[in-house]
Structure formats: C-alpha cells, structure tokens
Amino acid sequence: MRRTDHASWQNTRLPQGAGRAGSIGVEGSGANKQTGTMKRYGHLYPQVYDLDNLRQAHRNARKGKGHYPEVRRVEKAPEVYLTRIQRMLKEQTYQTSGYTHFETQCSGKQRHISKLPYYPDRIVHHAIMLVVEPIWTRTLIADTYACIKGRGIHRGARRIKEALQKDPDGTRYCLKCDVKQFYPSVDHAILKKVLRRKIKDTDLLWLLGEIIDSAPGLPIGNYLSQHFGNLYLSGLDHWLKEEVRCRYYYRYCDDLVVLHGDKAFLHDLRARLQVFLRDELALELKGNWQVFPVAVRGVDFLGYRFFPGYTLARKGIAKRFKRKVGRIRRRGRSLEPCQVVNSLMSYHGWFVHANCRRLLQSHLDVDVLEIAAEACQELGVRVPAVLEAESEAILRFCNGSSGAGRGQGSPRGHHRPTDCGNRVSGARQ
C-alpha cells in the first residue's frame, strides 16, 4: 500500500519557542546572498531506488561485515534482495524494521545501542546517503569533523594545532562543553524543518520521515543518526561562526570547543549558547562546561590534549596503550602475530600526530620491540617506522644478528596464520 503522508512534513508543528529565527537554518552555506533564498533539491528519490545505486549501497554497507549471517544471505542472491528493496521504495511500502537494543561500554560511558537489520534497512540508509551526502556536506562548516568524508580527527587536530601556533593571544582561553543527552533529545519536528531547507522532493522527505519517526530522538547505532545529528547542529555552527564571529570554533558530534583571547567573552558565550540551544533546538547544555587557560590544562578534544607548542595523547588512550604493551610483554609470544602488530599500529596511528616519544621510550623496551619485530618478520611486513626509531636492536634483529627467527626454535614457530598479513592495518608489504 502506497503511503500518502507527505502532508505531515508541511504541517509539522514545532515545540513552543523552538526554531523561531532563521539562525536555526544553514543560510550561511548554499544561500543566495542577494535574495536570502537557499537552493533546494528535487527529483532525488528515483536516484535512491535506482538499481545501480542500490548495488553500490550494498557494497558500502557490507564492508567489514562480510562474515555476518544476514550479509552472507543477501550475498547469495543480491539481485533478488535488491530488486525487492527497489520495489518497496518505488511503491512506498518500505517500513523501518524493528530495532535490536543492547548496552555497551564506550569510553567509560554506558551506551544504549539500537541496531537495525542489514536487509533492508542498512542498505536503504546507505542508498540515501549516496544521493544526499554531497548536498548535506556542503551545508556544514569546515570545522565540524564527525562522519564526514575527507575530514576526521586528524584534520581537526591539525587545525587546532595551527590555531594555537599562529595566534597564541587569540587562543589563550578555551570554552569546552557538550549537549546533554544529545541523540535522545533531538526533536523530530525541528530536524524535519532543517531537512526541508535543502530538500523539496516529497517522496524522499517521506522516506526520511519514516526513518526519523521509527524511534525516539536519534538512536545510537543507526547509520543515519550521525548525519542527522550533524545537520541538526549545523544551525548552531553557522550562528557561532557567522553571527557571533567565533573564529576558533570546532565541533565533533555534540562536543564543542571555542578558543578565544578573552575569558569574559567565553563566559558570556556560554550563557548565550544555553539560550540558543533551548530556544532554537530544544536542547540543553550539559552542566560540566569549562572555561580555562589553554597553557595550563590543555584542550582535551579529539583524543588529544593540545597545548601551545606541543600535543599529548589523551590520558585514557595512554593508559590503554600501557595495558596493551604490558599484555604483549607478558603473553607476546603466545599471541597471533597479527594481534601484536595490529595492537601497536593502532596506537601508532594516534601517537604519530602527538609528542609521545617519552611515553614510547618508557614502555617499548627491548623485549616488547623484539616480540613486535618477530611478529612483523613472520607476517612478512615491514617493521613500523615508529618501532624502528625506538631501538637499534630492532634493526639488528631484522637483519638476523640477534636470535633465531621464527620456525627455528621459536616458541611460536609451530603455527603460522594464513591470512593475518592481510589484516595488518597500516603495515606495508
């Protein structure tokens, strides 16, 4: 049965006091400067259910999940399943499936995760993003970094380092804050209003509304939730950049950082932020906001602590690295080679962007380095540069000048993984 509730988008009522001013929108990006109007896109829905688009969505959605039973089931007859999805979307009979809910621990916080089935939901979500992602990305400011192609943590880290280096007086103080219960608190009526500013295709708006209304707020674990979250806070981003003129403002999901030379300005801005979030987005600023001198405490953001002139890894990441190295030291030769190399390389990905040499020197002793070199030698991959730089013993070992290689009396010489080498991230063949 074809759905006909397009009108619900036009008649959506906002909470009292919410979304009044144009500041909630994204007029600063994509708007016509002379007329104040914004370009809106139509004729998008047929692109979403185009079979070639659905095939690409399936390829994107299955990445890293090829071992899942539901993915393997679709892989046995992809054209059959994708044609069914196309029919659902064409006839507008698609309905969001039921969520699977579970709790997980993430960065010391208990997270409630809501997961949708691979078929048809995750494929449909990827098909939508293939069409609308370029449109939505153009509405975002340059200094928001979550879930955006070509950006990410390290680009954000580079921008903050540059700001601290080039303008020490203008970045003397930091306001750091985040939104209280952001994803569960997102108001559907306001989110739909934000989406209508860029999309006028009523069929696509129906599909987006079907997904938005499938759960309260934005469910964590839903592929589209982070993209919706970026759009929801985009009005705040543009208000801070274009009206308040915050030159050094950065956002990752709902974590906000503003750098400024005047502490009083940041205290006043915090009060204005609370009003904007309440009146325009029906959100609340969390009570743990902080204003502090950057040189004393550093900006704890994006997994790093940024100080003028140097950068450290966040304390939690350093602690996990120490525990991981201790495990390798105790059990290294009983672990799979790929476990050893992947563990060290994952932290190398963080530390290469920070000043962590003292941390590495104090924990990567000769025993750990030799275990890592043995693992690299067995996998047939090059020893990571960060390990080579720490000890000449590694180079001597790899040249065969210290000890026997694997298979020559090595405690792990009796087993050799067949495919671990393909899973080593960041190591070069």
Side-chain angles (χ1 to χ4, degrees), residues 101-170:
H101 303 280
F102 59 92
E103 302 289 328
T104 186
Q105 198 77 11
C106 179
S107 301
K109 299 179 182 178
Q110 193 76 8
R111 301 285 190 187
H112 181 79
I113 306 299
S114 302
K115 181 182 176 183
L116 284 172
Y118 180 79
Y119 170 86
D121 303 277
R122 292 191 69 84
I123 298 175
V124 169
H125 291 192
H126 279 269
I128 293 171
M129 286 308 300
L130 283 170
V131 174
V132 302
E133 187 171 22
I135 297 171
W136 286 351
T137 300
R138 285 195 291 270
T139 71
L140 304 176
I141 65 169
D143 285 313
T144 181
Y145 301 102
C147 208
I148 303 173
K149 289 180 180 178
R151 305 190 201 176
I153 287 172
H154 295 134
R155 175 170 166 175
R158 186 169 61 251
R159 291 273 293 169
I160 294 176
K161 290 179 191 177
E162 290 172 355
L164 293 176
Q165 181 181 5
K166 293 179 179 179
D167 190 2
D169 290 334

Side-chain angles (χ1 to χ4, degrees), residues 18 176-187 190 232-233 236 253-256 269-289:
K176 188 174 185 295
C177 54
D178 63 336
V179 179
K180 182 178 180 180
Q181 292 289 305
F182 171 60
Y183 286 101
S185 302
V186 166
D187 184 274
I190 297 175
Y232 197 82
L233 292 178
L236 171 68
C253 296
D254 61 319
D255 291 329
L256 318 176
L269 177 61
R270 189 269 311 166
R272 296 173 66 187
L273 260 174
Q274 286 183 315
V275 173
F276 185 96
L277 288 171
R278 182 194 66 212
D279 292 350
E280 302 294 343
L281 298 174
L283 295 173
E284 185 180 346
L285 200 65
K286 194 181 289 186
N288 63 348
W289 59 270

Side-chain angles (χ1 to χ4, degrees), residues 9-297:
W9 278 82
Q10 305 302 327
N11 299 326
T12 298
R13 298 184 63 184
L14 299 177
Q16 187 174 4
R20 294 190 305 269
S23 58
I24 190 177
V26 289
E27 281 78 358
S29 180
N32 185 307
K33 300 288 185 180
Q34 295 179 338
T35 65
T37 60
M38 177 178 293
K39 179 175 175 59
R40 299 172 70 221
Y41 293 83
H43 309 291
L44 300 173
Y45 193 62
Q47 299 177 44
V48 173
Y49 64 69
D50 179 79
L51 204 52
D52 285 337
N53 189 61
L54 293 174
R55 291 187 186 106
Q56 185 60 50
H58 168 50
R59 286 192 289 270
N60 291 352
R62 75 186 179 192
K63 287 178 182 176
K65 300 178 177 64
H67 59 289
Y68 287 16
E70 54 185 340
V71 178
R72 286 155 61 185
R73 184 172 65 249
V74 174
E75 282 286 83
K76 290 179 180 177
E79 291 301 305
V80 173
Y81 286 99
L82 297 179
T83 302
R84 288 178 188 169
I85 293 176
Q86 184 184 51
R87 189 182 310 118
M88 290 180 203
L89 295 177
K90 265 187 173 182
E91 299 174 358
Q92 295 191 346
T93 57
Y94 168 78
Q95 285 184 283
T96 301
S97 305
Y99 287 89
T100 301
H101 303 280
F102 59 92
E103 302 289 328
T104 186
Q105 198 77 11
C106 179
S107 301
K109 299 179 182 178
Q110 193 76 8
R111 301 285 190 187
H112 181 79
I113 306 299
S114 302
K115 181 182 176 183
L116 284 172
Y118 180 79
Y119 170 86
D121 303 277
R122 292 191 69 84
I123 298 175
V124 169
H125 291 192
H126 279 269
I128 293 171
M129 286 308 300
L130 283 170
V131 174
V132 302
E133 187 171 22
I135 297 171
W136 286 351
T137 300
R138 285 195 291 270
T139 71
L140 304 176
I141 65 169
D143 285 313
T144 181
Y145 301 102
C147 208
I148 303 173
K149 289 180 180 178
R151 305 190 201 176
I153 287 172
H154 295 134
R155 175 170 166 175
R158 186 169 61 251
R159 291 273 293 169
I160 294 176
K161 290 179 191 177
E162 290 172 355
L164 293 176
Q165 181 181 5
K166 293 179 179 179
D167 190 2
D169 290 334
T171 58
R172 184 170 296 174
Y173 297 99
C174 174
L175 167 63
K176 188 174 185 295
C177 54
D178 63 336
V179 179
K180 182 178 180 180
Q181 292 289 305
F182 171 60
Y183 286 101
S185 302
V186 166
D187 184 274
H188 290 183
I190 297 175
L191 176 57
K192 291 177 181 180
K193 181 180 179 183
V194 171
L195 295 178
R196 286 199 301 270
R197 287 197 169 92
K198 293 302 290 183
I199 296 173
K200 62 183 178 181
D201 186 320
T202 55
D203 290 330
L204 180 55
L205 289 173
W206 160 78
L207 178 59
L208 293 170
E210 158 62 37
I211 295 167
I212 291 168
D213 293 333
S214 65
L218 292 178
I220 298 174
N222 191 327
Y223 176 66
L224 287 176
S225 289
Q226 276 199 326
H227 299 285
F228 285 150
N230 270 339
L231 291 170
Y232 197 82
L233 292 178
S234 181
L236 171 68
D237 297 339
H238 286 282
W239 175 71
L240 285 168
K241 284 281 193 181
E242 296 157 16
E243 293 191 32
V244 185
R245 298 292 182 181
C246 292
R247 182 178 181 183
Y248 303 115
Y249 162 68
Y250 312 91
R251 179 171 67 83
Y252 189 90
C253 296
D254 61 319
D255 291 329
L256 318 176
V257 163
V258 183
L259 304 177
H260 200 273
D262 185 354
K263 182 192 284 190
F265 171 86
L266 293 178
H267 278 287
D268 178 67
L269 177 61
R270 189 269 311 166
R272 296 173 66 187
L273 260 174
Q274 286 183 315
V275 173
F276 185 96
L277 288 171
R278 182 194 66 212
D279 292 350
E280 302 294 343
L281 298 174
L283 295 173
E284 185 180 346
L285 200 65
K286 194 181 289 186
N288 63 348
W289 59 270
Q290 304 167 41
V291 174
F292 55 88
V294 173
V296 175
R297 295 178 50 183

